[in-house]
Amino acid sequence: MASPPSPPLLEIEGLCVSYATAGGTLRALSGVSFRLQPGEALGLAGESGSGKSTVALALLGLLGPEAALSARRLRFGGRDLLSLSPEERRRLRGGAMAIVFQDPFTALNPSLPVGRQVAEPMVFHRGLAESEALAAAIGLLHQVGIPRPEVVARSYPHQLSGGMQQRALIATALAAEPELLILDEPTTALDVTIEAQILDLLESLRRSRRLSILFISHNLGVIHRLCDSVCILYAGEVCETGPTKAVFRDPAHPYTRGLLASLPRLALGSRKRLSPIPGTLPDLEKPPPGCLFHPRCPYGDKRCGEQSPLLSSPGPERSVRCWKAQEIRGVAWEEAAGGNGRPAARGDEPADQAVAPLVIVRDLRKRYRLGGFWDALVWEKPGGQGWPRPAWEPKFLRALDGVSLAIAAGEVLGLVGESGCGKTTLGRTILRLIDPDGGEIVIDGRAIARAPERELRPVRRAAQIVFQNPDSSLNPRKTVGEIIGRPLERFRIASGAGLRRRVGELLDMVRLAPSYASRYPHQLSGGEKQRVGIARALATSPRFLVCDEAVSALDVSVQAAVLNLLEDLRRELGLAFLFITHDLSVVAHLAHRVMVMYRGGICEEGTIAQVLRPPFHPYTEALLSAVPRIDGERARIRLREEGPAPEFAGRGCRFQGRCPRLLGEICRTVAPPVLEPLPGHRILCHHRLETLAAVASPIADEAPPPGA
Amino acid sequence: MPAGPPEPGARRRLPGNLLAGAALVLVIAAAALVGPWVAPFPYDEFHIRDRLKAPDAVYWFGTDEYGRDVFSRVLAGSRISLFMGVAATAVSLFCGVALGLTAGFFRGRIDEWLMRLMDLLMSFPPVILGLLILAVTPPSLWKTVLAVGIVYIPAIVRVTRSVTLELAQEEFILAARARGENAGYILFREILPNAWPPIIVEASLRVTFAILLGAALSFLGMGAQPPSSDWGLMISEARSYLDQAWWMAVFPGLVMCLTVVGINLLGDGLREWLDPRLRHGGA
């Protein structure tokens, strides 16, 4: 923590923001207060709709004319922000106060070289000449860890990877030498290994420049990793603040406890059924009387519904907005939420491997040609002399490079990997939404890899898919009833009154009221939409379900509810799952077996306990150590970010480009052998098993999360 | 925003522009329908003594060079002009939507051929293309309608194709394919209902273009034949009298303008009203 006597850099007291709407006034923020010392990192956490980004925009003065803003105190560096003129606010913005937005892919101007974009604030705010600024920009790019900054400065954003773009954005924000850096979900769009590097960078910048950081994120693990203190927002109110470690170890507010109880944990041995927070955010046009959280709070009583609680202090430097903060100490959320703490018996009931697997995939291959017809045309001189001759040499991306797997009924196979590794292609190819180039697919005894569409009908009924994006997976012009009813109609499972009854049953199965059948998708929340997507997939009573990032777009409390639902359905219906995700914690929570995928191939597979313990494939090890977590942290392994490296050409190990444990020439030329430390546990690596087994596990075996 | 979902079956509020547009279009369409019975004079009756008279109590919109009542002629002309606009747009909608869906959904070679064909059509100026289609046979109204319809097919195809391309990437289309739905179901039941809004807006724009193009073709002698009246024909006839009799051009022009505004408002309003996302005042 920063030394107490120095005056705070940022002081916010009683910040209120409201919007006039057709139905009255929408209170986006009510009475938000916190302070930030120089050199301190404060995390602003909360689920979507809690008002996190509104705080940042209010600070920057970017809220727009329709927002009504008031505050008892809004001071930055000793100056009152409310009394500044728009021109002075503009000079402050990007000067002493800089922001980095979530999506690096849209925040950089695609038609300007990166160096110019980093240099621009220095010209505007510091009055440097163009050439000086450009030189300084190259220095900055170097500081944020970009290799070959002179080259990158001349490149355009599309030539850089996502992590490099985010680094360049941070460089842009640093260009005017700000005192406060606001980061709005800066790593949410990035892969976990890249996220870990960006967090390392932010930490070192904070140390070296004594930079204050306001870090906005829905990801409690990331906040735990970076921030000294944390401020939890709910429905535009601060419900708890305090030092990060203390708050996460001993959360005082029921909402904080609920958030922590909803998080799937990576650590083995602490696997419990998740306890989601019931209900949804209140309507901020008509907020409930009393405590905003009481309609969803398992601890609530009569007073909570009548009087708004005041901030009280349960410990040093902590404050909490709850009447019952003292009473409920020691009463775990799970207990209060109603005996949901029963352990998930998942790991203890391994799926019966003796029965023939329901889904078998052998040596599945799919490649895409890069570029068009003319891109593949090259002119070459045979033997380096004579006239050049045309040759057609297309380049291919190997999306699936000989993948094999088997899933038994009632088994969950987790598939993890970073974006672009081919996991979505695999899920879709198994269901023949994409035609494979080679290999075999057998579902429920039918070989379908090359079957024509009309022969697929029974498989279409038996194998279904749940998609990632709840906003795109439901047709906005159809009611929920039509959406769920269509598969029943199509496979002639039910019609008329029977169809309506079955739709009701399916809605009930995903814990939605029957009245939802007449609603349109836009009238549902994200979690509800995802449940409808699951109900649609279940309509044909399938035996195999592909879940493609099915919970990734959801808030943690909703994600927990959907994960519980999937687990229940698996038990009740004996479904086989292929669970595709980038989130290792989710896989650790749900899956029996895991496959780790990298660039179209599997590099490690085994039961969840085997994969989460040494020996590790170097890639698995790096993935595990990169996951930001709230329960302790061990070794850190960071992967080099791949530059514009040549595509994996099919020689040697596919992980050679980024491997932190590269052995040498052998990795580049010889395909790695399969190591099998235990039956069913396979690792593709040139290292000896003993070497791989000797590494410290980046995750703790037992991590009792006290208080949560 | 986290506001609770509005109750289903909530009262549908008709958008204001839909009401205004519908009112305008209704009035003009009604005038076209009952025109011959309410017109104060037959549209082709000469009043030689009252040539080029300014608007007064007898001739509300004044008279033209033969002493024909401009008001009666505007009424009579609305029939041909409206029919021209609506029927021609129906032709281009029918062909354009089908071709656009096909090109956008199947992609590949079909898409390439269709779009090059559309480029070919678009590379002709509309009037020339209309003339080309009409010139080979004696002029008649339905042929003008067909010609104008064909001229505006590419515009509809391009709009339909671009929304189809976008919608085909949505996950609910993948979900339909995972059920093994055939292309017809996906195109007409999943994609088309979502593609209507931009198509309707484009079509309402095309109605007005079609009226104007029909008028231009009439002027060139390929559409409505004198002495029958058509707004475009009236304006072109008024050209030589602009300095003596402004009313001859202004009134048909004004009515045409009102029709265009009305149809555009109607199209915009329809788009809003048909979209369930905008209907309940939701996000």
Side-chain angles (χ1 to χ4, degrees):
Chain A
M1 293 241 68
S3 46
S6 63
L9 177 70
L10 179 70
E11 261 183 294
I12 300 180
E13 253 183 63
L15 175 65
C16 295
V17 171
S18 58
Y19 295 90
T21 63
T25 312
L26 188 145
R27 293 179 67 94
L29 294 179
S30 30
V32 170
S33 308
F34 59 81
R35 29 178 77 190
L36 185 60
Q37 302 291 339
E40 188 189 352
L42 174 76
L44 213 51
E47 296 181 291
S48 46
S50 61
K52 308 185 294 285
S53 294
T54 312
V55 173
L57 294 179
L59 281 177
L60 290 163
L62 289 176
L63 273 177
E66 61 278 2
L69 183 146
S70 70
R72 281 197 303 281
R73 212 183 235 267
L74 195 60
R75 294 175 74 82
F76 174 73
R79 292 161 80 181
D80 183 8
L81 287 178
L82 293 174
S83 66
L84 293 182
S85 72
E87 179 55 28
E88 286 169 311
R89 287 297 282 276
R90 194 167 77 91
R91 298 206 156 270
L92 210 56
R93 202 155 58 219
M97 210 189 252
I99 185 161
V100 175
F101 289 106
Q102 170 169 3
D103 191 353
F105 305 99
T106 57
L108 285 169
N109 185 337
S111 58
L112 284 181
V114 170
R116 288 256 315 269
Q117 302 192 46
V118 179
E120 204 252 316
M122 296 193 258
V123 177
F124 178 76
H125 287 284
R126 285 161 58 191
L128 296 182
E130 286 270 347
S131 55
E132 283 175 312
L134 213 53
I138 291 172
L140 261 178
L141 288 172
H142 179 69
Q143 275 185 43
V144 295
I146 291 182
R148 293 183 301 150
E150 311 80 20
V151 180
V152 170
R154 284 195 303 272
S155 323
Y156 288 86
H158 73 271
Q159 296 170 306
L160 306 184
S161 65
M164 287 296 160
Q165 291 188 22
Q166 194 61 289
R167 284 172 194 265
L169 268 182
I170 292 172
T172 311
L174 294 177
E177 301 192 330
E179 294 164 67
L180 171 65
L181 187 60
I182 302 174
L183 299 132
D184 190 354
E185 303 267 10
T187 59
T188 307
L190 304 176
D191 278 321
V192 54
T193 54
I194 311 300
E195 171 181 81
Q197 294 170 355
I198 298 287
L199 293 179
D200 288 349
L201 168 69
L202 289 173
E203 198 165 70
S204 76
L205 285 175
R206 187 182 135 207
R207 290 233 179 78
S208 61
R209 297 186 163 227
R210 211 171 142 69
L211 198 61
S212 300
I213 290 181
L214 180 61
F215 193 92
I216 297 169
S217 181
H218 71 285
N219 187 331
L220 298 179
V222 170
I223 285 185
H224 182 258
R225 162 96 172 68
L226 186 75
C227 299
D228 309 306
S229 48
V230 63
C231 170
I232 313 266
L233 283 182
Y234 179 76
E237 263 186 2
V238 175
C239 55
E240 180 164 7
T241 59
T244 313
K245 298 233 160 32
V247 170
F248 285 0
R249 197 182 333 106
D250 179 24
H253 195 281
Y255 178 61
T256 318
R257 293 178 174 207
L259 281 182
L260 292 171
S262 304
L263 273 185
R265 308 287 169 118
L266 193 49
L268 292 164
S270 65
R271 237 176 248 123
K272 271 190 274 181
R273 191 179 166 80
L274 300 172
S275 293
I277 305 172
T280 53
L281 275 180
D283 182 352
L284 292 178
E285 282 180 33
K286 305 178 211 69
C291 172
L292 286 180
F293 187 60
H294 89 266
R296 304 173 71 184
C297 182
Y299 304 98
D301 63 15
K302 197 156 156 283
R303 178 164 63 151
C304 300
E306 288 163 359
Q307 286 171 284
S308 292
L310 304 172
L311 283 173
S312 61
S313 180
E317 296 181 57
R318 292 186 62 177
S319 63
V320 57
R321 188 185 298 275
C322 179
W323 288 124
K324 308 182 70 183
Q326 285 303 321
E327 292 169 48
I328 64 175
R329 289 193 88 158
V331 185
W333 169 272
E334 289 86 348
E335 275 172 53
N340 262 343
R342 68 187 155 108
R346 207 244 325 79
D348 322 325
E349 42 151 312
D352 194 355
Q353 291 286 353
V355 298
L358 187 72
V359 180
I360 304 169
V361 171
R362 267 187 228 109
D363 199 28
L364 201 60
R365 287 170 192 280
K366 177 72 190 176
R367 57 182 198 176
Y368 292 102
R369 197 172 82 205
L370 298 168
F373 177 86
W374 298 106
D375 297 326
L377 206 62
V378 291
W379 293 86
E380 54 185 31
K381 293 177 186 173
Q385 45 194 313
W387 290 96
R389 281 192 221 155
W392 198 64
E393 289 176 0
K395 290 191 175 56
F396 289 99
L397 171 75
R398 296 154 187 261
L400 296 178
D401 199 8
V403 176
S404 304
L405 57 87
I407 311 172
E411 185 183 41
V412 180
L413 176 65
L415 182 66
V416 292
E418 294 171 304
S419 53
C421 73
K423 50 192 197 301
T424 293
T425 308
L426 178 58
R428 292 183 181 177
T429 309
I430 291 178
L431 295 185
R432 275 292 302 277
L433 295 175
I434 297 173
D435 287 332
D437 293 335
E440 282 175 63
I441 308 165
V442 180
I443 296 181
D444 209 5
R446 281 168 219 274
I448 60 162
R450 271 164 291 276
E453 180 68 38
R454 66 195 136 74
E455 285 172 30
L456 291 181
R457 197 177 159 103
V459 175
R460 294 270 181 242
R461 192 175 161 171
Q464 277 294 321
I465 179 167
V466 179
F467 294 98
Q468 166 172 18
N469 188 345
D471 292 316
S472 141
S473 64
L474 306 180
N475 191 333
R477 296 286 173 140
K478 296 189 169 187
T479 63
V480 168
E482 285 164 358
I483 289 169
I484 301 178
R486 175 61 196 171
L488 300 173
E489 243 170 59
R490 154 129 189 93
F491 293 100
R492 305 215 171 81
I493 296 167
S495 61
L499 187 133
R500 278 193 296 280
R501 196 175 55 242
R502 181 78 183 125
V503 166
E505 284 169 19
L506 285 162
L507 282 172
D508 184 53
M509 208 182 270
V510 294
R511 322 279 185 266
L512 289 176
S515 65
Y516 275 69
S518 57
R519 296 200 183 176
Y520 283 95
H522 73 277
Q523 296 170 311
L524 310 180
S525 70
E528 288 169 340
K529 282 183 208 168
Q530 201 59 321
R531 283 159 196 252
V532 173
I534 294 171
R536 173 179 60 192
L538 292 175
T540 58
S541 316
R543 308 190 54 202
F544 171 49
L545 211 53
V546 174
C547 294
D548 189 356
E549 300 274 11
V551 295
S552 310
L554 306 176
D555 275 320
V556 281
S557 66
V558 182
Q559 171 182 308
V562 173
L563 283 177
N564 284 347
L565 171 69
L566 290 174
E567 171 65 21
D568 294 345
L569 291 170
R570 185 192 68 77
R571 271 164 203 270
E572 288 162 29
L573 309 173
L575 289 178
F577 279 94
L578 177 64
F579 199 90
I580 300 170
T581 180
H582 67 280
D583 189 337
L584 282 157
S585 316
V586 169
V587 157
H589 179 79
L590 197 71
H592 299 95
R593 283 192 304 128
V594 194
M595 296 174 79
V596 183
M597 194 165 181
Y598 188 80
R599 288 207 160 187
I602 304 298
C603 51
E604 176 167 0
E605 64 173 295
T607 65
I608 185 76
Q610 289 167 345
V611 172
L612 291 188
R613 287 201 186 98
F616 294 116
H617 187 280
Y619 180 56
T620 317
E621 185 189 357
L623 275 183
L624 285 173
S625 75
V627 178
R629 305 173 35 228
I630 57 166
D631 42 14
E633 200 162 340
R634 299 252 178 107
R636 273 188 208 163
I637 292 134
R638 296 293 180 251
L639 294 182
R640 288 200 302 282
E641 186 166 3
E642 258 171 314
E647 270 312 309
F648 170 60
R651 252 162 38 107
C653 174
R654 63 187 73 247
F655 189 50
Q656 55 177 287
R658 292 171 78 194
C659 186
R661 299 184 184 278
L662 204 64
L663 273 173
E665 201 47 32
I666 189 172
C667 295
R668 296 205 180 81
T669 50
V670 183
V674 178
L675 308 176
E676 198 156 356
L678 286 166
H681 188 193
R682 279 184 281 277
I683 300 174
L684 270 74
C685 189
H686 283 295
H687 276 284
R688 291 184 330 148
L689 254 184
E690 297 80 69
T691 326
L692 295 179
V695 303
S697 170
I699 62 163
D701 253 15
E702 298 289 332
Chain B
M1 272 289 116
E7 281 308 304
R11 194 167 62 99
R12 292 184 184 188
R13 262 177 75 192
L14 287 171
N17 44 5
L18 179 66
L19 290 176
L24 259 177
V25 171
L26 267 182
V27 166
I28 292 165
L33 275 179
V34 300
W37 293 281
V38 299
F41 302 96
Y43 70 92
D44 49 359
E45 192 177 83
F46 289 16
H47 305 93
I48 301 299
R49 253 177 269 160
D50 296 330
R51 293 177 60 220
L52 299 177
K53 280 197 83 170
D56 59 21
V58 184
Y59 305 107
W60 295 352
F61 287 2
T63 63
D64 67 2
E65 76 270 31
Y66 302 117
R68 292 178 296 192
D69 179 32
V70 173
F71 179 63
S72 306
R73 288 183 67 75
V74 166
L75 274 181
S78 57
R79 282 196 154 186
I80 298 178
S81 289
L82 282 184
F83 175 74
M84 181 90 80
V86 173
T89 306
V91 169
S92 29
L93 256 186
F94 186 80
C95 306
V97 167
L99 294 180
L101 284 175
T102 311
F105 186 69
F106 294 103
R107 313 271 295 274
R109 212 158 283 174
I110 289 189
D111 184 25
E112 198 66 27
W113 280 105
L114 277 176
M115 293 322 284
R116 294 300 78 78
L117 188 70
M118 292 304 125
D119 289 350
L120 195 74
L121 275 183
M122 273 199 301
S123 60
F124 288 97
V127 176
I128 308 275
L129 182 58
L131 281 178
L132 206 70
I133 299 168
L134 288 172
V136 283
T137 51
S140 75
L141 189 61
W142 70 266
K143 267 189 251 168
T144 316
V145 164
L146 211 62
V148 174
I150 291 173
V151 166
Y152 290 124
I153 285 177
I156 303 280
V157 170
R158 294 192 77 93
V159 171
T160 312
R161 174 177 175 271
S162 76
V163 264
T164 307
L165 276 178
E166 219 172 280
L167 287 167
Q169 305 298 319
E170 297 277 338
E171 287 174 348
F172 63 83
I173 302 299
L174 268 178
R177 289 183 47 214
R179 296 194 295 271
E181 302 280 10
N182 60 33
Y185 180 90
I186 294 181
L187 281 177
F188 293 105
R189 306 292 297 279
E190 300 273 3
I191 292 183
L192 192 55
N194 287 289
W196 272 130
I199 296 177
I200 284 179
V201 172
E202 182 66 29
S204 70
L205 209 67
R206 288 301 141 195
V207 171
T208 62
F209 274 87
I211 291 176
L212 297 174
L213 181 58
L217 289 173
S218 298
F219 172 56
L220 293 169
M222 294 294 174
Q225 298 298 311
S228 70
S229 89
D230 167 287
W231 297 336
L233 201 58
M234 291 176 71
I235 294 173
S236 60
E237 282 169 358
R239 211 177 33 143
S240 30
Y241 299 96
L242 262 185
D243 51 341
Q244 311 161 42
W246 53 266
W247 52 89
M248 276 178 68
V250 165
F251 286 109
L254 198 67
V255 178
M256 198 189 291
C257 176
L258 283 177
T259 313
V260 169
V261 169
I263 292 173
N264 280 338
L265 282 175
L266 186 69
D268 251 9
L270 269 181
R271 182 181 60 87
E272 263 174 54
W273 191 58
L274 287 177
D275 190 339
R277 278 164 297 190
L278 300 171
R279 194 189 293 158
H280 302 285

